[in-house]
Amino acid sequence: MKKNLISILDIQDRIKELLRIAGEIKKKHKNGEPFTPLEGKSLGMIFEKPSTRTRISFEVGTTQLGGHALYLSPKDLQIGRGETIADTAKVLSRYVDGIMYRAFKHEMMVELAENATIPVINGLDDLEHPCQIMADLLTIREIKGTFEDQHLVYVGDGNNVCNSLLLGGAAVGMDVTACTPKGYEPNQEIFKKAQEIGKETGAVISISNSPKEAVKGTTIIYTDVWISMGDEEDEKRRLNDFEGFEVNDELVSRATEEVIVMHCLPAHRGVEISASVMDGPHSVVFDQAENRLHAQKAIMAEMMG
Ligand code: CP
Ligand code: NVA
């Protein structure tokens, strides 16, 4: 059966093994050892929204695995003139060996996956960002060694990144708190699911509305933009509602001394994160960005190799 990565739930039981493989692939790459399981294969990449990291890491990653990636913009595809996503999925399935899709709507992601006969990888939609979280977990594993004694506090909007972090943290046995302003909590179903998984793995999954309380003594602080792609209309209201949620020196000083600060990027210094924290000694944001490449190579090798 073909494999998809639409949600972290799709790889829930394989996450630790995939992270191990990603670590191996990273080592090989650093040692200059070729690893080319995608020789002769192609990845179609459909981007409905802009991207720096996802686009470049998937494109470069496919090349490093011996394959070829195609950047496909809906503006240039016939989707822009009304061809359905289902027909697009069926046609692409006749040409390429996998599809990476960045979509505005999760329903479109599901529709594409249901109609494709090849693996579909979610490169972000409005509900989840699983590839980002795989890179984040790889980063945490490299720096902290284990997940079980870690507590990640996500400070900000209960968005796609937050949803996938809850599921990913739960799956690897790491405590996760989503700390958001009231009304910006993560998806309820995902939160409940993460709590259920956590009961099996020993991860405590919780919600808070107070950053100062939530980060006390924590080992990982994570933040993301307050205005995600597609939320631009709400900008003014959001900036107002998120007051007090900036990850700054004062907030970081409440955590443990060896706390790491994470951000999936792109970041806005002086909005969700202060410049001093973003560019300071606790920040691991560029390690996360690099690990997109290695984590996704493991995902592609597994799904398309
Ligand atoms: N973090 C992330 O997905 O970045 P891009 O939007 O640049 O791909
Ligand atoms: N939550 C952000 C993540 C960007 C990588 C967004 O969806 O725009």
Side-chain angles (χ1 to χ4, degrees), residues 50-55 102 129 132 229 264-266 292:
S51 168
T52 297
R53 280 142 290 268
T54 306
R55 175 178 177 179
R102 171 165 284 196
H129 196 1
Q132 177 66 50
M229 293 178 277
C264 64
L265 306 181
R292 293 294 301 276

Side-chain angles (χ1 to χ4, degrees), residues 216-244:
K216 255 189 213 157
T218 199
T219 57
I220 305 167
I221 298 175
Y222 196 121
T223 191
D224 180 20
V225 292
W226 295 343
I227 299 146
S228 283
M229 293 178 277
D231 289 339
E232 290 81 2
E233 272 177 26
D234 265 359
E235 181 168 343
K236 229 174 149 188
R237 181 167 60 86
R238 280 177 172 265
L239 289 176
N240 197 40
D241 292 350
F242 280 84
E243 224 188 287

Side-chain angles (χ1 to χ4, degrees), residues 11-275:
I11 48 166
Q12 185 188 323
D13 302 322
R14 291 273 300 148
I15 285 195
K16 283 194 172 172
E17 177 58 10
L18 276 168
L19 293 173
R20 190 194 62 75
I21 296 169
E24 294 286 310
I25 290 177
K26 181 171 180 176
K27 223 185 275 165
K28 273 194 211 299
H29 180 66
K30 301 274 176 194
N31 291 337
E33 280 174 55
F35 175 61
T36 55
L38 295 194
E39 224 163 284
K41 298 203 170 174
S42 301
L43 175 76
M45 309 189 298
I46 308 176
F47 280 94
E48 287 179 3
K49 309 181 198 181
S51 168
T52 297
R53 280 142 290 268
T54 306
R55 175 178 177 179
I56 298 170
S57 55
F58 264 106
E59 190 160 336
V60 169
T62 309
T63 305
Q64 289 177 1
L65 293 173
H68 173 74
L70 298 97
Y71 173 79
L72 306 166
S73 156
K75 273 192 281 186
D76 306 325
L77 294 169
Q78 294 285 10
I79 293 177
R81 295 182 56 250
E83 186 165 26
T84 66
I85 199 79
D87 288 351
T88 306
K90 288 173 190 165
V91 172
L92 282 183
S93 297
R94 304 286 178 117
Y95 298 136
V96 298
D97 304 284
I99 302 172
M100 191 246 81
Y101 182 30
R102 171 165 284 196
F104 274 105
K105 295 248 162 291
H106 181 69
E107 298 80 59
M108 297 297 270
M109 182 70 63
V110 172
E111 197 175 336
L112 181 93
E114 280 173 359
N115 286 281
T117 54
I118 52 174
V120 173
I121 300 170
N122 181 349
L124 178 149
D125 62 22
D126 55 347
L127 196 63
E128 278 204 54
H129 196 1
C131 294
Q132 177 66 50
I133 273 49
M134 287 303 285
D136 299 337
L137 293 175
L138 182 62
T139 309
I140 293 169
R141 204 191 67 147
E142 286 173 350
I143 297 170
K144 301 287 195 182
T146 61
F147 295 113
E148 285 77 8
D149 53 357
Q150 298 301 316
H151 180 192
L152 184 151
V153 179
Y154 175 95
V155 180
D157 182 21
N159 59 18
N160 41 13
V161 169
C162 178
N163 289 334
S164 290
L165 269 174
L166 288 169
L167 292 173
V172 299
M174 175 174 70
D175 296 350
V176 182
T177 301
C179 179
T180 71
K182 284 205 171 80
Y184 292 91
E185 286 86 0
N187 177 281
Q188 258 205 342
E189 246 172 73
I190 289 186
F191 179 72
K192 277 195 203 132
K193 186 73 200 169
Q195 278 193 318
E196 255 170 55
I197 298 170
K199 280 199 187 111
E200 281 164 35
T201 62
V204 179
I205 305 298
S206 58
I207 277 189
S208 161
N209 299 121
S210 165
K212 287 185 179 167
E213 285 301 312
V215 301
K216 255 189 213 157
T218 199
T219 57
I220 305 167
I221 298 175
Y222 196 121
T223 191
D224 180 20
V225 292
W226 295 343
I227 299 146
S228 283
M229 293 178 277
D231 289 339
E232 290 81 2
E233 272 177 26
D234 265 359
E235 181 168 343
K236 229 174 149 188
R237 181 167 60 86
R238 280 177 172 265
L239 289 176
N240 197 40
D241 292 350
F242 280 84
E243 224 188 287
F245 278 75
E246 183 193 47
V247 174
N248 52 29
D249 291 315
E250 202 278 315
L251 204 66
V252 172
S253 72
R254 292 169 180 260
T256 53
E257 260 178 55
E258 58 292 349
V259 68
I260 56 169
V261 177
M262 306 183 78
H263 192 311
C264 64
L265 306 181
H268 300 90
R269 288 173 177 79
V271 185
E272 76 274 4
I273 188 166
S274 69

